[in-house]
Amino acid sequence: MINVNPQRPDFEKLAKSERVFADVGTDLVGHGPVIAVTPVADGRPGAYDENVAKTWRMAEKVYDLLTSNVFLPDGSPVRVVVAPEIVYGARTGAIAQAYYATQGVCANIWVSRSWCYSDELMSACQGIGSSEWQQAAWGLNQTDRPGAVWLKAFCAAMDEKKRPIFSVYSPDLEDEEGPLCAYVAARLLRFARCAAAVGYMRGKNYLSIGGVAMGIIGSDVRRNALLDYFGVGSASFDMSGINTRLNAGFYDAEEVARAVKWMKDHFRMDFGSGKRPRTPDDLLETCCKMTVIVRDLMRGNASLAKRSVEWVDGFKHVEWAQGYNAVGAGTQGQRQWTDGHPNFDVTESILNSMFDWNGFRAPMPVATENDSKNGIGMIAAFLLSGGMSQMFADIRTNWTCESIEKATGCNVSAICPRGIIDKRNSGAAALEYAIDLYDVCGLPKTAPVSDVVNKLRRSPEAREKALAAISKAVTYMGAALTYFPGDGLSSHFRSPGGLPMTAYRYNVVGDRFTCSVVEGETVDLPEPVADAISKRTDPTWPETAWTPRGMTSFDYMRRIGPNHDANCLGLIGADFITLNSMLRIPVDMHNVPDGDIFRPTMWDRFGGDDFKACDFLGPVYG
Ligand code: MN
């Protein structure tokens, strides 16, 4: 049969059409993560009939688990699709794969309670048309038809075909009548969270605003490496374009006015003393314009395309309104911009946060100094955490208890026996790190960070409380003119202590990525100590003291790569390790307990050597 396109486009009409800003319902366009659940069973008559109902029950439990626990940044549950029928051979497998292809699947979880013809099911995933999919298999631990036999045979077949697969198997016998056992549920969720993050970022962009700041290699955007390892494209926008938009008035003036009022209503402002390059009103307004412009560049803005005013040549506004479909961005700032213009501290602190003049929303990760290698980590952590804001940091000083006592006379060995890292960024950080969000949300510090984000999404009271606490804790301060001659407004605060916090950093060695991820917590230093440390550097900057778990702060300082890391509220180290194995990026330093490490079975074939497994496989999209 000849495949005739049933809806031949009306080319006549298209040829005469005017371009518009297409409303697609979301600010980011492209793949959404879709996870498939594939029930498999022994196809032999009798065996099949005995297994069919119970196998579907397994699929149902996985479906319910994922859709009620894995969330996208907009708060919607991850989309899960299920094979049209139980897969028991080559043809039923192909039917499942054909269906998944129409659904944009990015990951697949195979479930079985019995022996199946393992390698022959793989018609659905021989690697043709599914090489980018993340794969997992759950084999039920029970006795009548042991799922382990299939699971082992299937994972071996996948390994032989160089298709890494995560194996899920309960250490204890499972009770099929009851809910999923905790071990299996935790592993399935870790896989699904990480696979959803991988699926979400693929095909989106990192927007590099400016180039390299002050010789910082992190801000050298490695376009092919980003694409090969993360599936993330990149776009470049010279900072002179910000000036063009400022000068031409290419922003929504009504929104800028609301932004200025919101900033004034919510934050103390200290515009600094002495002779300043701009008046306070001009400074705040310009910083708000820059924020709106960077947001527009990242996500587009329909209101700019609809404007009736003719601008420049009369049609450029539709093109400019599109933006770059960027899931994250970086702003160079120093020095070509900041030597003469306000810095990007308002822009970074607001876009990285969950609140602005339009209300509560998903953060838009923006890396300071266009450090794209930190920026890509912020994008990953933002997705892994279910939409939490990320704190960009300068790794500024290692303070041992001895140094603190020498400098201040205070003995802090009971508070931070392993020392602290002073993580003040040079001017901007997500505002949520000014407060104790666990406390605001009424959650224990052991709760997953995604619970914190969900509480904020669902509870207007929690949001109101959080924003009130942020307003109280944050002061926007006129920039230190020695660093920023063009002025700026830094988001100054002091992070509360006792917050679980994961530090992470992507590095590039040659053309390859590696990742460091270290869990720890923030430290509440006695006020005289915190004040002394603040005065020694720059008191206008956001301040966070952090100590790693199970290692000294000096161990961290000694072994971390560059001058920046980024930080996520909560402990997401194990998720980061799983995510990196999905992307074939080796982890060069971590402090995650062995029992929490979850990687594809192929890693065991390499004796657990992360570097060898990643080296053997190469990047997913490369
Ligand atoms: Mn820096």
Side-chain angles (χ1 to χ4, degrees):
M1 201 173 80
I2 298 164
N3 186 12
V4 179
N5 187 341
Q7 280 123 20
R8 185 179 189 276
D10 185 345
F11 292 106
E12 199 68 23
K13 194 175 154 198
L14 286 169
K16 290 176 188 154
S17 63
E18 265 185 58
R19 64 175 170 176
V20 295
F21 186 97
D23 181 6
V24 293
T26 53
D27 64 347
L28 274 173
V29 187
H31 303 281
V34 179
I35 299 178
V37 176
T38 309
V40 294
D42 190 335
R44 285 173 286 195
Y48 179 88
D49 303 293
E50 276 178 33
N51 278 309
V52 62
K54 285 178 173 172
T55 305
W56 275 120
R57 289 276 168 267
M58 287 177 72
E60 182 182 17
K61 284 178 194 171
V62 175
Y63 181 95
D64 290 343
L65 178 78
L66 267 47
T67 51
S68 40
N69 289 284
V70 181
F71 298 97
L72 306 187
D74 68 356
S76 60
V78 69
R79 192 153 167 268
V80 180
V81 297
V82 177
E85 62 177 310
I86 287 184
V87 170
Y88 52 88
R91 187 169 183 274
T92 46
I95 287 170
Q97 178 162 358
Y99 169 60
Y100 297 159
T102 67
Q103 300 298 305
V105 160
C106 68
N108 185 17
I109 301 176
W110 308 75
V111 301
S112 184
R113 64 183 306 286
S114 71
W115 168 251
C116 316
Y117 290 8
S118 44
D119 189 49
E120 293 174 13
L121 311 174
M122 289 175 56
S123 53
C125 69
Q126 295 279 350
I128 310 299
S130 63
S131 63
E132 292 176 12
W133 295 2
Q134 302 299 330
Q135 304 273 4
W138 169 37
L140 192 74
N141 181 354
Q142 45 99 55
T143 50
D144 67 323
R145 294 178 183 275
V149 185
W150 161 73
L151 186 65
K152 286 294 177 190
F154 188 52
C155 291
M158 293 292 267
D159 283 352
E160 191 162 323
K161 291 187 165 58
K162 293 177 72 177
R163 300 288 158 224
I165 186 161
F166 291 81
S167 170
V168 181
Y169 185 74
S170 166
D172 301 312
L173 285 175
E174 291 177 81
D175 170 16
E176 269 193 286
E177 307 307 316
L180 284 172
C181 79
Y183 180 91
V184 166
R187 295 257 147 160
L188 289 171
L189 283 176
R190 174 151 294 143
F191 172 82
R193 275 195 303 272
C194 298
V198 170
Y200 187 94
M201 68 174 102
R202 68 179 170 159
K204 313 289 190 307
N205 288 315
Y206 175 85
L207 178 62
S208 164
I209 298 177
V212 174
M214 304 182 294
I216 295 169
I217 199 68
S219 37
D220 182 29
V221 181
R222 299 295 294 271
R223 303 179 80 133
N224 284 10
L226 272 180
L227 187 60
D228 291 350
Y229 281 95
F230 294 91
V232 169
S234 44
S236 292
F237 187 85
D238 193 280
M239 289 185 295
S240 63
I242 305 268
N243 234 345
T244 305
R245 290 187 179 220
L246 282 170
N247 294 338
F250 196 77
Y251 45 78
D252 184 337
E254 182 273 331
E255 184 176 11
V256 169
R258 277 193 295 118
V260 170
K261 180 172 182 335
W262 186 84
M263 293 292 290
K264 282 183 175 167
D265 287 350
H266 286 85
F267 302 108
R268 284 184 304 279
M269 302 269 167
D270 174 351
F271 290 95
S273 54
K275 187 172 153 30
R276 311 287 298 190
R278 287 171 187 261
T279 65
D281 280 350
D282 180 37
L283 177 63
L284 178 60
E285 193 183 48
T286 306
C287 291
C288 288
K289 284 177 185 170
M290 287 162 56
T291 304
V292 167
I293 288 169
V294 171
R295 194 274 323 273
D296 291 349
L297 286 168
M298 290 175 74
R299 302 296 170 87
N301 186 341
S303 79
L304 298 176
K306 282 183 205 139
R307 297 199 312 179
S308 56
V309 290
E310 296 273 303
W311 186 78
V312 188
D313 56 9
F315 57 81
K316 254 186 185 162
H317 55 279
V318 176
E319 182 207 359
W320 283 28
Q322 302 290 327
Y324 289 85
N325 203 38
V327 59
T331 49
Q332 178 198 332
Q334 297 186 81
R335 288 184 39 219
Q336 288 77 10
W337 179 268
T338 55
D339 280 2
H341 302 79
N343 64 30
F344 286 94
D345 289 352
V346 170
T347 302
E348 290 168 20
S349 60
I350 294 293
L351 294 184
N352 275 319
S353 299
M354 302 159 115
F355 296 93
D356 69 13
W357 41 91
N358 295 320
F360 179 79
R361 50 138 177 87
M364 299 176 217
V366 180
T368 300
E369 289 150 6
N370 195 22
D371 186 340
S372 55
K373 288 146 205 169
N374 225 19
I376 192 67
M378 293 165 81
I379 293 166
F382 150 69
L383 296 170
L384 287 178
S385 60
M388 180 62 204
S389 53
Q390 303 300 310
M391 190 185 88
F392 187 104
D394 273 315
I395 302 169
R396 194 158 290 279
T397 308
N398 178 61
W399 286 91
T400 57
C401 294
E402 293 72 26
S403 312
I404 290 173
E405 186 157 10
K406 200 172 168 194
T408 67
C410 291
N411 182 338
V412 293
S413 57
I415 301 167
C416 49
R418 297 183 306 282
I420 60 132
I421 300 286
D422 176 11
K423 288 202 177 192
R424 77 194 59 222
N425 190 24
S426 55
L431 305 178
E432 287 74 26
Y433 290 85
I435 64 169
D436 184 339
L437 261 188
Y438 285 93
D439 192 38
V440 163
C441 293
L443 291 166
K445 300 287 193 286
T446 49
V449 62
S450 56
D451 285 4
V452 173
V453 181
N454 278 333
K455 178 75 187 250
L456 290 171
R457 281 194 191 111
R458 288 166 193 167
S459 162
E461 293 78 29
R463 290 200 293 273
E464 204 175 304
K465 226 174 134 185
L467 183 56
I470 286 170
S471 297
K472 210 173 146 201
V474 175
T475 304
Y476 274 92
M477 299 186 74
L481 298 178
T482 46
Y483 290 103
F484 302 107
D487 213 339
L489 287 165
S490 300
S491 57
H492 172 71
F493 59 76
R494 191 168 287 174
S495 295
L499 300 174
M501 187 183 279
T502 306
Y504 52 88
R505 168 77 207 188
Y506 280 99
N507 309 292
V508 174
V509 181
D511 293 321
R512 295 175 185 206
F513 271 103
T514 72
C515 181
S516 313
V517 56
V518 175
E519 296 178 340
E521 65 173 7
T522 61
V523 175
D524 191 12
L525 294 169
E527 207 168 310
V529 174
D531 287 347
I533 293 177
S534 182
K535 278 181 200 132
R536 280 191 172 214
T537 48
D538 190 308
T540 68
W541 293 344
E543 304 174 358
T544 306
W546 174 85
T547 192
R549 186 188 61 229
M551 63 168 84
T552 65
S553 59
F554 181 62
D555 286 335
Y556 183 81
M557 179 60 95
R558 194 165 56 79
R559 292 180 56 196
I560 194 74
N563 51 317
H564 295 148
D565 67 13
N567 300 269
C568 184
L569 188 68
L571 301 181
I572 61 164
D575 278 4
F576 245 113
I577 286 176
T578 295
L579 176 98
N580 281 308
S581 68
M582 288 177 171
L583 301 172
R584 327 300 182 217
I585 295 174
V587 176
D588 57 32
M589 159 165 72
H590 76 80
N591 62 350
V592 174
D594 275 352
D596 291 337
I597 294 177
F598 187 34
R599 286 170 168 146
T601 55
M602 195 187 287
W603 268 243
D604 293 315
R605 305 285 71 75
F606 286 97
D609 189 326
D610 194 15
F611 285 82
K612 278 204 176 119
C614 292
D615 194 28
F616 174 72
L617 288 165
V620 182
Y621 308 95

